[in-house]
C-alpha cells in the first residue's frame, strides 16, 4: 500500500506548537489521569469488588463507573475502554494534518481486529449482536457495514463479494486488497479462493504486517523526533510480531519445512531490528531451542527469551514484552514536539485497563497470591527507574 506523504512535516521546536501545540498539551495533561503507586497499593488490598469501586471513585475512573450499578471485570473493562475512546475521539477533533492521519493510523489496528473477529464469528455461526458487543469501539465502521461483514456466504464467491462490496470502502480495505493480491500470486489461484484456503489468524497476521509497514513508512516520512521515537516503537512492535508468529507456529502446519519459507516468512513485517537477517533465520527454525539460538544473537531480545526459556513460571514472555513496551512508551513522554506520545498514551491506557481487569479477576476468584502480577504504568518503583536513581 502506498503511504500517504504529508504535505507538511510535524514542525520543529520553533513551529510545532503552531499546528499541534494544543493537542500535545491535552495529551500531556491526560497523563495525570493514570493510576499512581498508592492507587495500585489500595486496589491490591481490596477484599471485594465493592471495595475496588470505592477506591476507584478517588481516581479518574469515577465518572466512567457512575452508570454501572455493579462492578465486574467485564463492566470495568467496558467503562474504561469507553472512557479511553471518548478521550481519543476528542483529541482527534482537535488535530490537523498530519497529526490527524497519524491518529487514524492508530485506529486501523482495531479495525483489522474487528473485521477478523466478525469473520471468525461468522464461520462459527455466532450471533452478530454478540460479536458487535465484543468489537473494539476505536475500530468500528458504520453499523450497516459492521453487520454486513458476517452475512457473506461461506463460498469463494461470498468471500470475493465481501471485499468488493464491503471492505473495499473501509480504511483497511487496501491492506485486504494487498493480502488478496499477494496470496493469489503466491498460490497461483484466483483471489476469490484465497480466503477459503487460509486460516483466519494467518489473514489477521498478514493485515497487521501491512499496517505496521504502512504506519512505519508514514512515521518515517514525517521526520524529526516523530520518525526517531515512533520508528523505534514500530520496529520493536514488528520484531515482537515476528517472534510471536514463530513461537505460535510450533506444532502447527506453519512449522512444516515446506511452509516455513513459503508461508510463515511472508507474515514477518519488512521492518524492525530483526529484518532482514533475523527474520531470514527465524524462517528456518523448527523448535524453541533453535529460536532461542537466533534470539541470542540480538542482545535486546536475548534477555527476554531467557525469561521464557527458564520456565520458572514467575513471568511469561508476554509479560516481558509488556514490561519492555511500557518502558519505551513511558519514555516517549520524556521529550516534546513529536507525535509518538499520542500512540504511547493509547497503549499505556490499554495496559492500565489490563491491570484493572487482572486485579478484579484475582479478587473475584480469590487468587490474592497472584494479584501483584501486572505491569504497572508510570510506577516510581520499576527496575529501570530505580536503577537510574542509583
Amino acid at each position: 500500500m502506498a503511504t500517504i506523504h504529508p504535505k507538511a512535516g510535524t514542525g520543529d521546536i520553533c513551529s510545532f506548537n503552531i499546528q499541534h501545540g494544543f493537542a500535545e498539551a491535552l495529551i500531556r495533561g491526560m497523563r495525570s489521569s493514570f493510576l499512581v503507586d498508592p492507587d495500585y497499593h489500595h486496589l491490591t488490598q481490596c477484599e471485594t469488588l465493592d471495595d475496588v469501586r470505592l477506591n476507584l471513585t478517588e481516581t479518574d475512573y469515577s465518572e466512567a463507573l457512575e452508570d454501572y450499578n455493579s462492578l465486574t471485570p467485564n463492566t470495568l473493562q467496558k467503562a474504561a475502554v469507553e472512557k479511553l475512546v471518548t478521550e481519543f475521539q476528542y483529541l482527534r477533533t482537535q488535530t490537523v494534518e498530519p497529526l490527524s492521519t497519524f491518529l487514524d493510523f492508530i485506529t486501523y489496528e482495531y479495525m483489522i481486529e474487528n473485521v477478523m473477529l466478525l469473520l471468525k464469528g461468522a464461520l462459527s455461526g455466532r450471533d452478530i449482536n454478540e460479536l458487535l458487543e465484543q468489537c473494539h469501539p476505536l475500530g468500528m465502521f458504520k453499523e450497516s457495514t459492521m453487520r454486513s461483514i458476517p452475512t457473506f456466504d461461506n463460498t469463494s464467491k461470498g468471500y470475493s463479494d465481501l471485499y468488493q462490496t464491503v471492505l473495499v470502502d473501509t480504511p483497511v480495505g487496501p491492506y485486504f486488497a494487498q493480502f488478496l493480491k499477494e496470496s493469489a500470486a503466491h498460490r497461483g489461484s484466483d483471489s476469490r479462493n484465497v480466503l477459503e484456503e487460509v486460516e483466519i489468524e494467518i489473514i489477521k497476521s498478514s493485515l497487521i504486517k501491512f499496517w505496521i509497514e504502512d504506519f512505519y513508512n508514514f512515521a518515517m516520512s514525517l521526520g524529526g523526533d516523530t520518525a526517531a521515537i515512533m520508528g523505534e516503537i514500530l520496529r520493536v512492535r514488528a520484531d515482537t510480531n515476528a517472534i510471536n508468529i514463530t513461537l505460535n507456529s510450533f506444532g502447527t502446519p506453519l512449522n512444516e519445512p515446506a511452509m516455513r519459507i513459503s508461508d510463515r516468512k511472508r507474515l514477518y513485517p519488512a521492518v524492525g531490528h530483526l529484518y532482514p537477517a533475523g527474520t531470514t533465520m527465524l524462517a528456518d527454525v523448527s523448535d524453541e531451542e533453535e529460536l532461542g539460538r537466533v534470539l541470542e544473537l540480538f542482545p535486546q531480545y536475548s534477555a527476554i527469551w531467557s525469561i521464557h526459556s527458564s520456565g520458572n513460571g514467575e513471568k511469561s514472555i508476554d509479560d516481558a514484552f509488556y514490561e519492555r513496551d511500557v518502558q519505551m512508551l513511558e519514555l516517549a513522554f520524556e521529550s516534546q514536539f513529536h507525535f509518538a506520545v499520542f500512540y504511547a498514551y493509547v497503549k499505556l491506557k490499554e495496559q492500565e485497563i489490563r491491570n484493572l481487569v487482572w486485579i478484579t479477576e484475582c479478587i473475584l476468584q480469590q487468587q490474592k497470591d497472584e494479584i501483584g502480577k501486572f505491569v504497572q504504568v508510570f510506577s516510581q518503583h520499576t527496575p529501570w527507574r530505580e536503577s537510574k536513581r542509583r
Side-chain angles (χ1 to χ4, degrees):
M1 177 180 175
T3 301
I4 303 173
H5 290 277
K7 295 180 180 178
T10 61
D12 54 21
I13 191 172
C14 299
S15 59
F16 182 91
N17 284 343
I18 297 174
Q19 299 292 331
H20 314 298
F22 180 64
E24 187 186 27
L26 286 173
I27 200 71
R28 292 187 181 278
M30 289 177 179
R31 174 181 169 172
S32 63
S33 69
F34 284 96
L35 300 177
V36 294
D37 290 331
D39 294 325
Y40 279 105
H41 175 72
H42 294 151
L43 289 171
T44 55
Q45 301 304 308
C46 292
E47 296 295 332
T48 67
L49 296 186
D50 287 335
D51 294 339
V52 173
R53 186 188 184 108
L54 183 62
N55 277 276
L56 289 176
T57 58
E58 302 298 324
T59 70
D60 205 55
Y61 289 101
S62 176
E63 291 186 9
L65 295 173
E66 286 180 350
D67 295 333
Y68 294 89
N69 295 324
S70 61
L71 185 69
T72 66
N74 286 338
T75 57
L76 177 55
Q77 182 179 29
K78 183 178 180 181
V81 169
E82 287 176 350
K83 176 179 177 292
L84 171 60
V85 171
T86 300
E87 293 169 347
F88 183 87
Q89 289 174 341
Y90 176 71
L91 278 172
R92 178 64 177 81
T93 65
Q94 305 302 314
T95 60
V96 296
E97 292 292 353
L99 178 53
S100 54
T101 297
F102 183 92
L103 295 185
D104 288 342
F105 266 106
I106 296 176
T107 67
Y108 295 166
E109 178 183 11
Y110 303 102
M111 293 180 186
I112 292 171
E113 291 177 351
N114 285 352
V115 170
M116 292 299 103
L117 173 65
L118 293 174
L119 285 175
K120 193 171 184 179
L123 292 176
S124 59
R126 294 174 60 187
D127 180 67
I128 177 61
N129 294 313
E130 178 188 347
L131 294 172
L132 289 176
E133 280 290 321
Q134 296 179 13
C135 288
H136 198 289
L138 275 182
M140 296 294 281
F141 309 126
K142 293 185 300 183
E143 184 175 356
S144 59
T145 300
M146 299 295 288
R147 289 185 176 276
S148 297
I149 293 174
T151 60
F152 61 89
D153 294 329
N154 190 18
T155 63
S156 59
K157 185 178 187 303
Y159 286 117
S160 179
D161 291 343
L162 168 67
Y163 167 67
Q164 294 176 5
T165 62
V166 179
L167 296 180
V168 69
D169 292 324
T170 67
V172 297
Y175 304 137
F176 211 88
Q178 189 173 354
F179 166 75
L180 290 174
K181 181 179 178 181
E182 288 192 3
S183 296
H186 170 66
R187 295 172 182 272
S189 60
D190 188 89
S191 64
R192 68 178 56 187
N193 296 319
V194 168
L195 283 177
E196 289 185 318
E197 301 170 5
V198 183
E199 294 181 4
I200 292 293
E201 287 304 315
I202 295 180
I203 301 174
K204 179 179 177 180
S205 296
S206 298
L207 299 181
I208 291 293
K209 166 197 170 181
F210 297 138
W211 167 74
I212 290 175
E213 293 172 352
D214 201 28
F215 198 179
Y216 178 81
N217 290 334
F218 178 78
M220 298 307 291
S221 72
L222 297 173
D225 285 350
T226 295
I229 299 173
M230 194 64 207
E232 177 63 16
I233 290 173
L234 289 173
R235 281 190 288 271
V236 170
R237 172 67 188 276
D239 291 344
T240 303
N241 273 33
I243 294 170
N244 281 332
I245 287 169
T246 305
L247 189 60
N248 294 334
S249 72
F250 299 147
T252 72
L254 271 183
N255 197 40
E256 295 176 0
M259 294 191 69
R260 292 175 200 159
I261 300 296
S262 65
D263 290 79
R264 191 172 73 188
K265 186 178 180 181
R266 294 171 56 245
L267 301 178
Y268 300 150
V271 298
H273 298 292
L274 294 177
Y275 178 80
T279 52
T280 299
M281 289 186 284
L282 287 180
D284 292 327
V285 305
S286 60
D287 54 38
E288 291 194 9
E289 183 178 350
E290 293 180 6
L291 175 59
R293 286 200 292 268
V294 170
L295 295 181
E296 285 175 359
L297 302 175
F298 298 86
Q300 63 268 53
Y301 300 116
S302 60
I304 291 178
W305 180 254
S306 67
I307 293 173
H308 173 79
S309 59
S310 64
N312 57 21
E314 290 297 318
K315 187 185 297 183
S316 68
I317 191 171
D318 288 333
D319 293 331
F321 280 139
Y322 284 143
E323 287 182 357
R324 185 271 323 273
D325 292 345
V326 165
Q327 178 181 347
M328 288 184 58
L329 296 169
E330 288 178 359
L331 288 173
F333 278 87
E334 300 301 317
S335 57
Q336 293 181 288
F337 312 118
H338 65 85
F339 293 168
V341 69
F342 294 90
Y343 179 87
Y345 179 79
V346 173
K347 293 304 178 181
L348 289 174
K349 273 296 178 183
E350 284 189 341
Q351 180 61 46
E352 184 173 85
I353 294 170
R354 281 194 292 269
N355 294 345
L356 289 173
V357 172
W358 176 262
I359 291 171
T360 51
E361 287 283 6
C362 287
I363 293 173
L364 189 64
Q365 299 176 23
Q366 298 182 345
Q367 298 287 331
K368 295 298 287 291
D369 292 341
E370 305 290 321
I371 201 168
K373 295 182 178 180
F374 56 84
V375 183
Q376 192 171 328
V377 177
F378 288 119
S379 172
Q380 296 304 308
H381 304 299
T382 52
W384 70 271
R385 273 204 172 88
E386 291 185 336
S387 65
K388 287 176 65 177
R389 288 195 289 266
R390 294 191 186 119

